[in-house]
Amino acid sequence: LRGYMQAALTNINHLVECTGRNGDAPQQVNGHGDWHAEKAALLEELTRLRAENERLQDQAQKQGPQRRPVTPRAYPQAPKHTGSERDPEQARSALRTISLRALKDTIAEIYASKSHFDQQCAASRRPRETMERHLYTFLTQRHNQRSAVLDWAQAIIAGIKEHGPHDNDVAVFGKILRHEVDEEFLLVQRQLKQTVYELLRVYLQGRHPLKTEAEVDALLQKKVHAQVYEDEWVGIVKYMFNAEDAVSIIVRVREVIVEHSTRTVHHAVSLQDQSAISYVDFFEGAS
C-alpha cells in the first residue's frame, strides 16, 4: 500500500508541474470541464495523499518492522518401539553368548559363503575379501538391520574367545579372522583331518584283521568320539611328518594331555589312559 501511494504522489506531482509550465489558459480536458477546476481537484487529491502517506509512515515507525509468520519446521521423530520389537540392549544380551554347536554351524556356513563369493570374485576379476570383511558381508545378507549385524558379529567374536581355547576348529577360524594364518590353512587342516581319519582306520583294520568292514567302521566311529591311545596317535604322527616335525608335534600333544589332566578330577587310571588323548584334542596339539 505504501508503494502504491508513493507512486500516486509521484504521478500527481508530475501533472501539477505540467500545469505550471502550460499556464492558466482555459482548456478542455477530455472534451469537458474547466482546466482550473481540474487543477484544483488534483491539488486537493495530492494534499490528501500526502497526509495519508505521512500517517502510514508514523504508524509503521511505531509498530516496528513487520515479519512474516514462520512455520515451525517439522523434524522427523524417532520411531516408537512397539511391543513386538526387541529392545536393543535385550538383543545384545540375548546374543552375547552362543553355544559351541551353534558357533561351529555358523562357521561352516561362513566358510561355504566365502568359497562361493571367492568364485564370483575370480569370475569378475575382483580382489577377494578377507575373512574378517566377509564375516560382515555374510551377516548383512542374513540380517537387514545394522544393529542385528553388529549383535551377531559380537556374539561370534565372544564365542571364539570362549570356545577357541578348547576347540581346534573355532581356534583356526579365529586365527584366520585375525590374519594370523592364511585362509589356505583351512584346506591343509581339512586334508590333515581326512588323512588322520583314514590312517586310524588302517590301524584298526591291522589290529582287528578278522572283523568286517562294517565292524571296523563302528570301531572307528567310537574311537572318533572317544580317546586315541599313545601308540595310535604317535604312529600316525610319525607316518605323516618328518622326524623333526614329528618330535615337535609329539611334545605338543603331550603338553595338551598334561593341560587337560590338570583340569579334570584325579582318579585311578591306567598308564595307557594317562597317555591317551581325545580325538578332538589330538587335532589341537597336532595343528
Side-chain angles (χ1 to χ4, degrees), residues 28 30 41 45 105 108 114 122 124 172 191 196 199 235 246 252 259:
Q28 295 292 325
N30 294 331
E45 181 67 15
D105 289 343
K114 180 68 162 60
S124 58
V172 170
Q191 185 61 45
V196 170
L199 287 176
R252 174 56 187 154
E259 291 173 2

Side-chain angles (χ1 to χ4, degrees), residues 3 8 11 29 47 56 69 77 89 92 102 117 130 135 137 163 184 193 201 209 211 231 235 251 254 259:
N11 292 334
V29 180
T47 302
L56 290 175
Q77 297 181 352
E89 185 60 31
R92 291 189 184 93
F117 191 80
T130 63
L135 169 65
T137 300
H163 303 295
E184 286 69 20
K193 286 184 176 183
R201 178 197 295 275
K211 291 186 177 295
D231 59 336
V251 171
R254 284 175 175 164
E259 291 173 2

Side-chain angles (χ1 to χ4, degrees), residues 230-271:
E230 185 175 24
D231 59 336
E232 297 171 341
W233 64 261
V234 169
I236 291 174
V237 170
K238 289 182 177 180
Y239 180 85
M240 293 180 61
F241 302 96
N242 58 44
E244 183 178 356
D245 292 339
V247 171
S248 299
I249 293 174
I250 289 172
V251 171
R252 174 56 187 154
V253 172
R254 284 175 175 164
E255 290 176 351
V256 173
I257 293 175
V258 173
E259 291 173 2
H260 284 235
S261 64
T262 57
R263 295 198 297 264
T264 57
V265 180
H266 295 282
H267 53 82
V269 293
S270 65
L271 190 61

